[in-house]
Amino acid sequence: MDESEFLAEHFETHRAHLRAVAYRMLGSLSEADDAVQETWIKLNRSDTSGVGNLGGWLTTVVGRVCLDMLRSRASRREEPLDVRVPDPIVSGADGVDPEHEALVADSVGLALLVVLETLAPAERLAFVLHDLFAVSYDEIAPIVGRTPTAARQLASRARRRVQGAAPAPDTDLVRQREVVDAFLAAARGGDLEALVAVLDPDVVVRSDGGTLRPSSMVRGARAVAEGAIIFARLAEFTRPALVNGAAGAVAMSEGRPMSVAAFTVSGGKVVELDILTDPERLRALDLTVLDG
């Protein structure tokens, strides 16, 4: 086995981990794949003979690549997006698919990724690498061009934002599904009061339609319930699914997905609902896991 084959083999053992890091950093599956590919290119161009921990080295490299991508994204964006729902990871309702396990580990739901979208790039990197992947501040510091103490402060600031904005979901998946099923049944039946009963009074719904459909944010149980009834009339049927490992649903019409909905259930109530309705991004998702 020559050196290039050796590197390729070892890189493949780390690919799922690197993709998981990049997905948490970027909230985009296609951009995560691009970041992993760029990391492979950098590996091929680097002398790693003195690297004792290749996995750790690759993690810092993909982190640096993602940081550059986030900074480039921010510089291109003339106006902040009102509503941005990260790419969902959709699995069948009976369990997470093996290829998705690394992507949805650590309860990385869409609600958390939405909050991460609000962080500055360096804050996001420090939080993701330290809190989700146990990378030390000494290793994070050179990536962000700060001291280890400053890197710790970045992560701490991000952590406070996350804890203050991302609701803690119920961990019982069966209970989550019961609440989501009650929501869907009430929406299909046009039962406004039953819908309000399963919604937290301060529930927030984000709907990301991209450039082709309207995007919106709605707050409050009654307003959300009224919108859910209207939308339920447009969908021919709704399939249960796991979205980022939590109870969710995919609405279909004329054989095509209209939306992917990720529910955050806390205290037996729906506290957040993140919906992707962008036709272009929906077409890019692998929804064959729902067939059958």
Side-chain angles (χ1 to χ4, degrees):
M1 180 183 295
D2 62 25
E3 184 178 355
S4 62
E5 291 175 330
F6 175 81
L7 283 177
E9 182 177 298
H10 279 69
F11 184 81
E12 286 305 314
T13 66
H14 296 288
R15 180 181 290 275
H17 166 77
L18 297 175
R19 192 168 185 243
V21 173
Y23 174 63
R24 286 154 179 74
M25 281 291 299
L26 301 167
S28 164
L29 293 170
S30 62
E31 289 184 354
D33 288 337
D34 290 344
V36 172
Q37 182 61 26
E38 180 64 22
T39 302
W40 163 245
I41 293 171
K42 290 182 180 296
L43 173 62
N44 271 287
R45 294 174 177 173
S46 302
D47 178 7
T48 58
S49 58
V51 175
N53 177 4
L54 183 61
W57 185 88
L58 289 170
T59 298
T60 59
V61 170
V62 79
R64 185 174 285 109
V65 169
C66 290
L67 182 61
D68 290 342
M69 293 174 72
L70 285 175
R71 286 171 171 166
S72 176
R73 182 195 291 175
S75 67
R76 292 194 310 268
R77 188 176 296 166
E78 296 180 358
E79 297 179 2
L81 297 177
D82 291 332
V83 177
R84 162 73 182 177
V85 174
D87 287 350
I89 308 298
V90 183
S91 303
D94 54 348
V96 175
D97 300 286
E99 63 269 28
H100 291 163
E101 287 178 355
L103 290 174
V104 301
D106 306 316
S107 300
V108 181
L110 282 195
L112 172 60
L113 290 174
V114 166
V115 178
L116 294 183
E117 292 278 332
T118 69
L119 301 177
E123 290 177 342
R124 186 167 184 169
L125 180 134
F127 175 81
V128 168
L129 290 190
H130 182 268
D131 284 40
L132 302 183
F133 293 98
V135 177
S136 71
Y137 293 120
D138 287 340
E139 295 171 282
I140 293 171
I143 302 176
V144 294
R146 311 283 182 90
T147 65
T149 298
R152 181 190 298 272
Q153 291 171 343
L154 285 172
S156 178
R157 190 157 59 238
R159 193 177 303 119
R160 288 194 297 270
R161 291 275 297 278
V162 169
Q163 292 172 346
D170 293 345
T171 58
D172 186 341
L173 188 56
V174 173
R175 180 56 182 149
Q176 286 183 31
R177 175 54 59 191
E178 290 174 350
V179 173
V180 172
D181 286 349
F183 174 94
L184 296 174
R188 286 192 296 265
D191 191 335
L192 184 65
E193 296 309 317
L195 268 172
V196 170
V198 299
L199 296 172
D200 184 87
D202 299 317
V203 61
V204 175
V205 173
R206 303 178 191 87
S207 179
D208 180 353
T211 59
L212 301 177
R213 289 179 179 169
S215 297
S216 64
M217 180 181 294
V218 180
R219 297 179 181 272
R222 188 157 293 273
V224 168
E226 291 170 351
I229 289 173
I230 293 172
F231 186 81
R233 292 172 181 156
L234 301 177
E236 292 177 7
F237 59 93
T238 302
R239 293 183 176 180
L242 291 181
V243 181
N244 287 57
V250 177
M252 309 288 291
S253 181
E254 298 180 355
R256 295 190 301 271
M258 292 179 61
S259 68
V260 173
F263 292 77
T264 301
V265 177
S266 182
K269 302 279 189 178
V270 177
V271 295
E272 281 197 20
L273 180 52
D274 294 292
I275 308 172
L276 180 65
T277 62
D278 182 348
E280 292 181 346
R281 291 171 64 199
L282 288 172
R283 280 195 296 272
L285 296 177
D286 178 14
L287 298 180
T288 59
V289 292
L290 303 180
D291 292 343

